[in-house]
Amino acid sequence: MSNRPDIHISEVGPRDGLQSLRQTMATPAKLAWIDALHAAGLREIEVGSFVPAALLPQLADSAELVRHARGLAGLTVLALVPNLRGAQAALAAGVHKLTLPLSVSAAHSLANVRRTPAQMLEELRSVAALRRERAPGVGLEVGLSTAFGCTLQGRVDEDEVIRLAVQAAAAGADEVGLSDTSGMADPAQVRRLFTRLRAELGARAGAAHLHNTRGLGLANCLAAFDVGVRSFDASLAGLGGCPYAPGASGNVVTEDLVFMFEAMGLRTGVDLERLLAARAPLRAGLPGEPLYGMLAEAGLPKGFVAQQAAGHV
């Protein structure tokens, strides 16, 4: 009997969910939201991004959020860093894990971080060296952005996705996941790419970061699960999107994703009633902002029992 969940959910709402919104959520409201997410059982939260405040004022308080989140028991505090300077600031704040975005699409990479994919690989090597020198216990993951297609470039070559994943692992990433930045993926493509990624990287194949732009978010998560993926990014109420991927909209809804897996008999370690309650501080902190999710509208089915037993996988 193991207490380890069958499915690992990384909540990315406080970063990915907020970065594209016009309004800025006040810091006290963010802290209350993060506390509610933790109380629901989420044990990895991407609390912010260490980018210049002039570019993303919505995330200017990331260091304060990291310091607060470090006080929450059992929580892995994650932050996005686009470069070496961001990694230095994140490590100084005390993050437990760094995530670095590496676009497969050259057009998106230049729009998002003003560097080519090759230049971002060099940045990754610098961040990995910094991590080894200053904080060897801190995790370093890479998310391959636009792995399933790009609104700027169009089709993305699947062979290039796998080549870049292998190069990112060689450059020092502990894990390399695939991100559907613009919501262009379909289940067959998800199965294909994650099968190839896992064959190449084994245990270093990372999370599925999938969007629901065209309504295929949960179907794509299930496709990834079918080929062995057990780690998923999601955002409470489906908030999210990339400011530099026109037409890209929200992430997979955390509540709906947790419900799907729990209904399948798989443990996520997340309390669904408390997770639904975590929408209240989000709504209070973002008045008027649309919140998404089918479970929040329909409610839990009568007689539904969450999974408490050891893993079924």
Side-chain angles (χ1 to χ4, degrees), residues 73-152:
L75 181 65
T76 296
V77 182
L78 176 65
L80 182 140
V81 297
N83 50 38
L84 180 62
R85 180 175 295 180
Q88 291 168 334
L91 291 178
V95 297
H96 299 133
K97 185 190 286 189
L98 304 168
T99 182
L100 187 140
L102 176 54
S103 296
V104 184
S105 159
H108 180 263
S109 187
L110 289 169
N112 190 38
V113 291
R114 298 183 177 86
R115 289 175 174 81
T116 65
Q119 289 172 323
M120 283 303 292
L121 276 172
E122 286 302 317
E123 203 71 29
L124 172 59
R125 293 185 183 97
S126 298
V127 171
L130 174 73
R131 188 268 301 260
R132 285 193 302 271
E133 177 185 342
R134 294 192 185 177
V138 169
L140 174 58
E141 68 176 23
V142 164
L144 289 188
S145 307
T146 64
F148 300 92
C150 174
T151 52
L152 299 173

Side-chain angles (χ1 to χ4, degrees), residues 17-240:
L18 301 182
Q19 68 179 9
S20 297
L21 301 183
R22 291 186 178 181
Q23 61 177 312
T24 297
M25 193 173 185
T27 301
K30 289 184 186 180
L31 297 179
W33 182 28
I34 290 169
D35 286 349
L37 292 168
H38 176 261
L42 288 159
R43 290 298 176 261
E44 181 170 290
I45 302 176
E46 188 179 38
V47 300
S49 177
F50 285 83
V51 299
L55 295 177
L56 284 178
Q58 303 94 324
L59 306 180
D61 54 358
S62 292
E64 184 174 349
L65 301 184
V66 169
R67 288 191 289 269
H68 173 83
R70 279 177 54 87
L72 300 176
L75 181 65
T76 296
V77 182
L78 176 65
L80 182 140
V81 297
N83 50 38
L84 180 62
R85 180 175 295 180
Q88 291 168 334
L91 291 178
V95 297
H96 299 133
K97 185 190 286 189
L98 304 168
T99 182
L100 187 140
L102 176 54
S103 296
V104 184
S105 159
H108 180 263
S109 187
L110 289 169
N112 190 38
V113 291
R114 298 183 177 86
R115 289 175 174 81
T116 65
Q119 289 172 323
M120 283 303 292
L121 276 172
E122 286 302 317
E123 203 71 29
L124 172 59
R125 293 185 183 97
S126 298
V127 171
L130 174 73
R131 188 268 301 260
R132 285 193 302 271
E133 177 185 342
R134 294 192 185 177
V138 169
L140 174 58
E141 68 176 23
V142 164
L144 289 188
S145 307
T146 64
F148 300 92
C150 174
T151 52
L152 299 173
Q153 174 180 302
R155 180 180 175 275
V156 171
D157 183 73
E158 294 185 6
D159 290 341
E160 181 59 24
V161 174
I162 301 304
R163 278 195 296 270
L164 199 57
V166 171
Q167 290 174 324
D174 300 328
E175 300 177 7
V176 182
L178 302 181
S179 300
D180 185 21
T181 311
S182 48
M184 298 173 73
D186 64 76
Q189 185 187 23
V190 168
R191 288 191 187 94
R192 230 173 21 246
L193 272 174
F194 271 106
T195 296
R196 294 184 62 182
L197 182 75
R198 288 170 59 79
E200 289 285 350
L201 298 186
R204 297 175 74 182
H209 179 106
L210 302 168
H211 283 221
N212 198 43
T213 309
R214 292 167 178 83
L216 293 180
L218 287 182
N220 288 333
C221 286
L222 188 57
F225 172 83
D226 285 344
V227 295
V229 177
R230 296 295 182 267
S231 183
F232 297 85
D233 293 350
S235 175
L236 195 81
L239 296 181

Side-chain angles (χ1 to χ4, degrees), residues 248-271:
S249 57
N251 291 270
V252 169
V253 178
T254 307
E255 307 94 297
D256 294 351
L257 182 66
V258 170
F259 173 72
M260 180 182 77
F261 284 128
E262 291 278 340
M264 291 169 61
L266 299 162
R267 293 188 315 130
T268 64
V270 179
D271 183 314

Side-chain angles (χ1 to χ4, degrees), residues 6 31 98 106 203 295 305 307:
D6 302 319
L31 297 179
L98 304 168
L295 183 67
V305 178
Q307 300 303 310

